Each structure stands twice: as structure tokens, then as C-alpha cells.
Amino acid sequence: MTAKRLQNITESTTLRISNLASELKSQGKDIISFSLGEPDFTTPGHIIDAAKASLDRGETHYTPSPGIPELRRAIAEKLKKENNIDAQAGSIIVTPGAKQAIFEVMLSVLDEGDEAILFDPAWVSYEPCVKLAGAKAVWAPTARDDGFRPVEPGEYITEKTRLIVVNSPCNPTGGVYSKETLKEIADLAVDNNIMVLSDEIYEKIIYDREHISIGSMDGMQGLTITVNGFSKAYAMTGWRLGYVSAPKKIYEQMLKLHSHSVSQATSFVQYAGVAALIGDQICIADMVREFKTRRDLLIRGLNELGIRCTSPDGAFYAFADVSEYGNGEEVAELLLNRASVAATPGSAFGSAGNDFIRISYATSQERIKEALQRIEAIL
């Protein structure tokens, strides 16, 4: 009685672990949650004020399906100024979160039997979106001892390859791709006429490295679909606001899907997005500075416990090798049941993560210290 297309799709592991942690909390247990990729900061005040002002103006009705003109223009200007991408407001769709944008991209680019290359490990929702489009995810390896850099991605291109997914900074590893790595992928895309989906949701959360957009590289203007959003950089996860900039032909197909499904992003949230982009950006610098302090505290603590973990260059995740104590599934279960610490098994992100757990350090320094003490007591 259910559709076949969903029978091989599993629920999001990160959300499942988060829901389980919330359930245990409701039972009175003191759970330290390292599972969900959600900044624990409050959305900056000027963004909240913009949403309130929009409500007060009565802007609670339908907007144009691709988004209000003010926000699309602000996004285009941001992409030109910060990412060196010649984006046009007329090729931008504002979506209810970046995840919706990725879903729409997959269904607009991939057909039954097509292939999309994912770099292992990769964010949990890429493969389900590929499958829902009727396509196949091809997992290409990365170098775990070299920032999880893609290794020989050209070896995985076939006549069926239609899309390469790039996520830098990366969830779950925190890896940031170098200019050389991005150029290698760009050259493959140009030579083989393959589209690239560049998921740049963590671009602002980066430490001592430079973020480079693959869409800014030679020959990539017509081959790159850039997805971004407001959840991570502006602590706006619950607001559900993202966007996509795509070549005109793909934009037109995406807009069909967008208008027949979600219709639009929430009206007053879009006005908050304008305030986020054009307002003072010091709020991001403050958050990144705190994330870096937390990262250093966590990575040092894990390695002192004998858990191998390299220092991530971006995002707010530690991808920790727990193979000395079991596989990632076993250790994640042990930590939750015995230490009341919720982490995500690395296997959720691909087979390369079997010996890992992903730890989100989007929580306070005090809770990180306590979690390390609990982990030490168990392991």
C-alpha cells in the first residue's frame, strides 16, 4: 500500500538520534547531545526584529514563488561580492531550507538510471535524494589522513554520470577542499559536461582557511548549481530559509517543482533573510570564534582519551575514529546508553565512516568538558 520509491529510503539518522535524545531528556535523563547540526546560539537580534517588523506590516500573504525580489537581489549581490559567482536574481530560488533546494536540484537534474558522484563520507540526505530521483549514488573515496580529500574522482565517472556533489566545508568531516582539489573536480566537469551541485551551507564557519566556490572557476558558470542558506551562519535552523542559484534551464525546471510543492518560503522569514545578508556580519565572526574554541577543546580532549581525531578546518563537527573500542554504531550506542552522550554513527554518512562517530560541538564548553569526562569513565 506504499510507494516503491520510498521503500529503500531510511529516515535521517541524525534526526533519529536527536529525537531519541529528546525522548530520553523528557524522561528526566541528562543527555548531552552531540548529534544534531544546529548552532546553540540565539538568532541575532536584528534578524528577529526584521521578522517582527514584517509581521507588523502585514506581510503574511503569498509571495512570488521564487522569493521576494529584495531577497533575491541581496542573494545575487552576496554571491557576486563574496563568492565571485556572476549570479542573477532571475536565476535564484528561495527555498524553505537548503535541504529543500538540494531535493529540488536532484529531481530537476537526474533521471532514472543516471548516476551522481558522492564523496565518501557525505551528508546523510544526499543519497536518499538521488534515489528519489530514480538515480544511483556512486561513492568515490576520500583520503582520511589528508582532510578527507577526494581521491581520483575521475575514476568514477561513466557515461551515466550527470552530477557531482561537492560539500565544502564538509558535513560530517569538517574538511575544506583546497583550490587544487576543486580545480580537479571542475576540470572533470568541464571535460565531461557534468553538472556540479555545490553545497556551501557551512561556508562562513571556517577556521584559518579560505572558502572557494567551485562556481567561480573557469568554465563552471554554466555547470554549477550553488546551494546555501541561513541556518548555520546565522543560527536560523528553525526559520527554514535557503536558496539556490542555477543555470537558467535548470532554474526553470526547479521552479516547476518548487511552485507545485512548497509554493514559496515563508513570507516574513524572507524579510528576515534580507536583514541577515545586508546587516552587520559581526555576529558570524563571534560565533565562529566560539566554535573554534570549542573545536580545540574537544579535539584535544578526544586525543588525550586515545580517540584519534584530526582537527576539522570548517563546520562544527569532529569525525572521530573509535575503532579501538568497536565500530561507530556500537560506540554510539554505548555512549548513549552508558554515558548519556548522543553522537551519530559514522556509517550514516557512508561506508567510509563505519569506524567513526560524528560529534557536533554546537554546544557549550561546559557541556563538552562534562561529556569528555563521561566518555573517559566509560571507555
Side-chain angles (χ1 to χ4, degrees):
M1 299 296 289
T2 60
K4 292 181 180 179
R5 75 176 66 87
L6 290 172
Q7 291 176 2
N8 293 322
I9 304 295
T10 58
E11 66 175 319
S12 168
T13 303
T14 52
L15 292 180
R16 178 174 60 82
I17 297 295
S18 176
N19 291 338
L20 179 57
S22 296
E23 182 180 339
L24 292 172
K25 286 181 181 178
S26 69
Q27 297 172 8
K29 295 185 179 180
D30 180 24
I31 304 295
I32 299 177
S33 182
F34 283 152
S35 60
L36 201 59
E38 179 175 39
D40 59 321
F41 303 101
T42 301
T43 303
H46 67 283
I47 298 174
I48 295 174
D49 291 341
K52 291 179 179 177
S54 177
L55 287 167
D56 289 340
R57 291 192 299 267
E59 290 162 338
T60 57
H61 302 283
Y62 288 133
T63 74
S65 187
I68 60 173
E70 301 96 312
L71 181 53
R72 297 170 78 201
R73 287 195 297 267
I75 292 169
E77 182 63 26
K78 182 266 181 203
L79 290 171
K80 291 176 184 177
K81 181 179 179 181
E82 297 183 3
N83 303 89
N84 199 27
I85 295 174
D86 186 21
Q88 304 299 318
S91 293
I92 289 169
I93 300 175
V94 180
T95 57
K99 183 180 286 188
Q100 175 68 21
I102 291 167
F103 177 72
E104 292 180 10
V105 169
M106 298 299 190
L107 266 67
S108 300
V109 172
L110 299 172
D111 272 322
E112 192 80 28
D114 287 344
E115 294 179 352
I117 293 177
L118 307 179
F119 297 120
D120 192 3
W123 179 53
V124 295
S125 292
Y126 292 140
E127 185 178 30
C129 288
V130 170
K131 287 182 177 180
L132 287 169
K136 175 186 176 183
V138 175
W139 292 88
T142 59
R144 56 185 289 180
D145 296 324
D146 188 15
F148 291 92
R149 172 185 56 82
V151 178
E152 301 295 339
E155 297 295 319
Y156 297 85
I157 292 176
T158 72
E159 70 277 0
K160 295 181 179 180
T161 306
R162 296 291 178 268
L163 186 69
I164 301 173
V165 178
V166 172
N167 178 213
S168 175
C170 175
N171 175 7
T173 67
V176 176
Y177 292 169
S178 66
K179 185 175 183 179
E180 292 72 23
T181 295
L182 291 172
K183 186 178 185 306
E184 179 183 9
I185 298 170
D187 289 345
L188 289 170
V190 171
D191 292 345
N192 296 278
N193 195 34
I194 297 171
M195 296 301 304
V196 172
L197 165 58
S198 183
D199 179 358
E200 303 184 15
I201 191 68
Y202 295 98
E203 66 160 343
K204 299 285 189 180
I205 305 173
I206 196 166
Y207 319 104
D208 306 320
R209 292 287 297 273
E210 177 189 9
H211 173 73
I212 300 172
S213 294
I214 195 169
S216 68
M217 295 186 158
D218 292 343
M220 291 303 293
Q221 183 68 27
L223 292 174
T224 306
I225 306 163
T226 302
V227 170
N228 209 324
F230 298 78
S231 293
K232 314 302 183 181
Y234 298 98
M236 293 176 65
T237 51
W239 297 68
R240 309 313 303 136
L241 190 64
Y243 59 86
V244 56
S245 173
K248 195 66 175 178
K249 288 185 177 180
I250 294 174
Y251 163 85
E252 291 170 351
Q253 300 309 309
M254 289 184 64
L255 189 56
K256 294 178 187 177
L257 178 59
H258 187 75
S259 61
H260 283 301
S261 55
V262 296
S263 295
Q264 57 162 87
T266 301
S267 56
F268 50 87
V269 170
Q270 293 188 55
Y271 288 96
V274 175
L277 290 179
I278 69 174
D280 194 339
Q281 304 297 296
I282 191 65
C283 56
I284 298 177
D286 291 340
M287 283 189 280
V288 171
R289 188 161 42 249
E290 175 61 20
F291 277 137
K292 185 177 181 181
T293 300
R294 296 175 182 181
R295 177 201 67 172
D296 294 345
L297 173 65
L298 176 64
I299 300 302
R300 183 173 61 252
L302 290 173
N303 282 288
E304 287 176 353
L305 294 177
I307 298 175
R308 290 186 298 159
C309 190
T310 58
S311 185
D313 290 318
F316 39 72
Y317 306 110
F319 209 51
D321 184 347
V322 294
S323 56
E324 183 178 343
Y325 303 99
N327 62 42
E329 293 271 358
E330 294 167 341
V331 173
E333 182 178 353
L334 176 70
L335 293 180
L336 183 57
N337 292 332
R338 299 269 311 277
S340 294
V341 173
T344 306
S347 58
F349 306 95
S351 60
N354 286 342
D355 290 334
F356 292 77
I357 59 173
R358 190 197 73 172
I359 299 174
S360 170
Y361 48 89
T363 189
S364 70
Q365 295 180 46
E366 290 72 21
R367 295 295 271 175
I368 291 173
K369 292 175 183 176
E370 183 174 350
L372 288 169
Q373 291 174 354
R374 294 185 188 184
I375 294 172
E376 181 181 21
I378 294 301
L379 299 183

